[in-house]
Amino acid sequence: MYIKRNIEEKIRKYLNRPEIIAIVGARQSGKTTTLKQIYKGLEGAVFLTFEDQQILSLFENNIKQFAETYVQGNKYLFIDEFQYTDNGGKLLKYLYDSYDIKIIISGSSAVDLTVKAIKFLVGRIFVLEMHPFDFYEYLLYRDLNYAKVYEKNKIDLNKCEKNFLAAEQMKVFRDYYEEYAIWGGYPQVVLSDDKDVKREVLKNIYNTYFLREVKDILGLVDDYKLSKLIKVLSLQIGNLVDYRNISQISDFSFLTLKKYINFLSKIYVSDFVAPFYKNKKKEIIKNPKIFFFDMGLRNFVIDDFRNFDSRTDAGALLENAVWSQLKKNGYEAHYWRDKNKNEIDFILKLKNKKIIAIEIKQNARKCGKFPLAFTDNYSDILTYCGYLDGGVNEHGFFIPLI
């Protein structure tokens, strides 16, 4: 079953432009499936993969013969797994400059590796990120009727309107969102109904793709250290990064630790959320928070797929799920914290240059006043509470609708 991805519309919009389109993102996030879906509807298109060693060898060793075989006479050239070529940038530039053909490439999750061609293609390439399913894409498979309800009622964070769903509808959305927060959005996980199969898919993604990719690219011998590092990070979602503590637990030196954490963000395992501040003396200005791009992968690492009611990290997991959804929708999130430990979960700079502050709560009844230390100093920033359960709150929004 093919689930139409949000990125598909953007790719199609750029098909009539001359620039090369590069699709990057986590492995197993659906890049190949989406590009093949687009390819099937185009005339004069050819689809290649650099997993095929003969095609890759021809591209690298005889670009003119490659062009005669696959480029001439076609309108569109799709190249999957582009990261396998070592000299792709110059060769892609040659094709772009020499032939009238639209080129679409996809590849490794490591942006700087997949698109190492960028320095040769400045002004000639659009780079688009593709993530596992967001909540709407998840609903397209789980419940098409509720996907339509979501589409009709999706919240515009520029306005944060009050939702008008019935209590029964909110209950269904709440249950779906909890399932999404526990198992994540990798397509093969979502498309599997058996929990044992879901676990096995996540195990395969983690062991076969992430650990192997980091080990191969970084030349890491002691991959057990990497596994330990990822587990340490998975236990600290939503918390400030303490490099010294993580270094001691993972057995990585400080500089090596920062290198690996930065690399994990490039292969879409985990990422940083930087602090928002204007008073360096009173507010946190350096320590980032850590979140995982996919909650299912994170829960696999700690081997915990229990429901919210049975786990002590439900609040942190919900916060991570919200961050992931915001990230997939193109928002850049920060957090705020002062040195008295007053804290706001997310600060968002919106496209209209408005800034809003959001607190994440499981229940609407827990939505309280924001700390005066924040509201007194940032009176121009609108404050909202995102909640998952408990009815309607006039000063907040229903999390599943973002």
Side-chain angles (χ1 to χ4, degrees):
M1 177 180 180
Y2 177 72
I3 305 298
K4 185 177 180 180
R5 306 301 301 275
N6 295 330
I7 197 174
E8 185 178 326
E9 184 177 338
K10 185 178 290 187
I11 295 172
R12 292 186 185 279
K13 183 176 73 173
Y14 292 146
L15 285 178
N16 294 324
R17 292 188 57 88
E19 292 87 357
I20 295 167
I21 299 175
I23 311 299
V24 296
R27 288 186 177 275
Q28 298 294 293
S29 59
K31 298 186 296 294
T32 300
T33 301
T34 300
L35 289 187
K36 283 186 175 180
Q37 182 71 19
I38 295 172
Y39 155 74
K40 287 192 301 184
L42 297 174
E43 293 184 3
V46 59
F47 193 102
L48 308 174
T49 175
F50 279 171
E51 285 188 321
D52 187 318
Q53 290 298 309
Q54 288 185 323
I55 294 174
L56 175 60
S57 178
L58 184 62
F59 177 82
E60 292 185 326
N61 298 311
N62 194 335
I63 189 63
K64 290 186 178 180
Q65 183 63 45
F66 177 90
E68 289 178 7
T69 305
Y70 297 112
V71 176
Q72 290 181 359
N74 287 309
K75 297 179 181 179
Y76 304 94
L77 173 63
F78 290 78
I79 304 177
D80 196 27
E81 303 292 356
F82 187 78
Q83 78 277 0
Y84 288 122
T85 176
D86 293 324
N87 195 30
K90 288 183 179 179
L91 298 174
L92 211 58
K93 181 178 182 296
Y94 168 77
L95 294 179
Y96 179 91
D97 291 340
S98 304
Y99 299 90
D100 183 20
I101 191 168
K102 179 68 178 184
I103 302 172
I104 303 97
I105 65 173
S106 67
S108 168
S109 53
V111 175
D112 57 339
L113 297 171
T114 303
V115 198
K116 49 193 169 187
I118 278 199
K119 62 182 178 181
F120 301 103
L121 297 169
V122 175
R124 299 176 175 89
I125 190 167
F126 288 157
V127 181
L128 306 178
E129 286 188 326
M130 185 170 183
H131 298 282
F133 287 162
D134 69 6
F135 185 57
Y136 172 65
E137 292 167 329
Y138 158 86
L139 286 173
L140 286 175
Y141 173 74
R142 291 293 283 116
D143 193 323
L144 185 57
N145 287 329
Y146 270 83
K148 293 177 180 177
V149 175
Y150 171 93
E151 196 171 18
K152 182 179 179 180
N153 292 277
K154 183 178 179 180
I155 290 171
D156 181 353
L157 288 178
N158 290 284
K159 302 175 182 177
C160 283
E161 309 103 323
K162 183 169 60 177
N163 86 78
F164 294 98
L165 297 179
E168 294 79 6
Q169 290 177 308
M170 293 181 70
K171 173 64 167 59
V172 174
F173 270 116
R174 190 253 183 227
D175 291 344
Y176 278 142
Y177 199 83
E178 180 177 348
E179 182 180 77
Y180 176 68
I182 291 169
W183 292 102
Y186 277 100
Q188 291 306 313
V189 175
V190 175
L191 299 178
S192 301
D193 295 325
D194 186 288
K195 291 183 179 180
D196 289 334
V197 175
K198 289 177 183 287
R199 286 176 181 265
E200 197 63 30
V201 172
L202 287 168
K203 177 181 178 180
N204 183 62
I205 291 172
Y206 181 72
N207 290 327
T208 304
Y209 294 101
F210 288 121
L211 290 185
R212 187 186 69 184
E213 183 166 8
V214 176
K215 187 175 181 179
D216 291 348
I217 293 171
L218 298 182
L220 183 63
V221 177
D222 299 327
D223 55 346
Y224 75 91
K225 286 187 178 181
L226 177 65
S227 299
K228 188 188 294 186
L229 171 60
I230 295 175
K231 185 167 186 177
V232 171
L233 295 176
S234 70
L235 292 170
Q236 298 197 18
I237 56 171
N239 293 329
L240 272 61
V241 175
D242 184 340
Y243 289 107
R244 180 176 299 178
N245 181 50
I246 295 174
S247 178
Q248 291 174 347
I249 297 174
S250 64
D251 295 326
F252 282 124
S253 68
F254 178 75
L255 292 178
T256 302
L257 173 65
K258 294 198 73 172
K259 173 185 175 182
Y260 284 177
I261 290 180
N262 284 327
F263 187 78
L264 289 175
S265 72
K266 292 178 181 178
I267 62 171
Y268 301 95
V269 174
S270 56
D271 203 6
F272 294 122
V273 173
F276 174 88
Y277 64 90
K278 69 178 182 181
N279 189 327
K280 295 182 178 181
K281 292 183 178 180
K282 295 182 178 181
E283 299 170 334
I284 301 297
I285 64 172
K286 291 184 178 180
N287 295 63
K289 282 186 174 185
I290 195 82
F291 289 108
F292 273 58
F293 281 93
D294 186 80
M295 296 76 66
L297 186 70
R298 180 264 178 179
N299 288 332
F300 168 79
V301 172
I302 64 171
D303 191 24
D304 190 349
F305 294 98
R306 291 175 298 167
N307 292 334
F308 279 10
D309 292 343
S310 303
R311 53 196 306 159
T312 58
D313 66 345
L317 186 58
L318 177 60
E319 188 179 342
N320 196 144
V322 172
W323 174 84
S324 177
Q325 184 73 357
L326 292 171
K327 185 78 173 179
K328 291 169 183 175
N329 284 330
Y331 292 103
E332 180 183 357
H334 297 263
Y335 78 92
W336 175 86
R337 183 172 180 171
D338 68 12
K339 294 180 180 179
N340 291 323
K341 298 185 178 180
N342 294 301
E343 187 170 349
I344 307 297
D345 292 327
F346 296 117
I347 307 293
L348 300 184
K349 297 180 180 179
L350 305 180
K351 292 179 181 179
N352 60 6
K353 297 184 179 181
K354 186 194 317 184
I355 300 177
I356 63 173
I358 300 173
E359 273 286 273
I360 302 301
K361 302 294 183 183
Q362 286 183 256
N363 195 293
R365 290 186 292 273
K366 294 183 179 180
C367 291
K369 293 183 178 180
F370 279 60
L372 293 176
F374 179 82
T375 55
D376 286 350
N377 290 292
Y378 295 98
S379 57
D380 57 325
I381 294 180
L382 298 177
T383 56
Y384 298 99
C385 179
Y387 56 90
L388 186 60
D389 205 353
V392 176
N393 185 294
E394 293 185 359
H395 301 289
F397 60 88
F398 187 46
I399 286 172
L401 295 182
I402 60 174

